[in-house]
Coordinates of all heavy atoms in Angstrom, one line a residue:
A3 N 57.1 165.7 57.9 CA 58.1 166.0 58.9 C 59.3 165.1 58.9 O 60.5 165.5 59.1 CB 57.4 166.0 60.3
E65 N 72.2 163.4 48.8 CA 71.2 164.4 48.4 C 71.5 164.8 46.9 O 72.6 164.9 46.4 CB 71.3 165.7 49.2 CG 70.2 166.7 49.0 CD 70.2 167.8 50.0 OE1 71.3 168.1 50.6 OE2 69.2 168.5 50.2
T98 N 82.2 151.2 28.8 CA 80.9 150.6 28.7 C 81.0 149.1 29.2 O 80.1 148.6 29.9 CB 80.4 150.6 27.3 OG1 81.4 150.1 26.4 CG2 80.0 152.0 26.9
L185 N 110.9 180.9 34.5 CA 109.8 180.2 34.0 C 108.5 181.0 34.2 O 107.7 181.0 33.3 CB 109.7 178.8 34.8 CG 108.4 178.0 34.6 CD1 108.3 177.6 33.1 CD2 108.4 176.8 35.5

Side-chain angles (χ1 to χ4, degrees):
E65 189 172 21
T98 49
L185 170 62

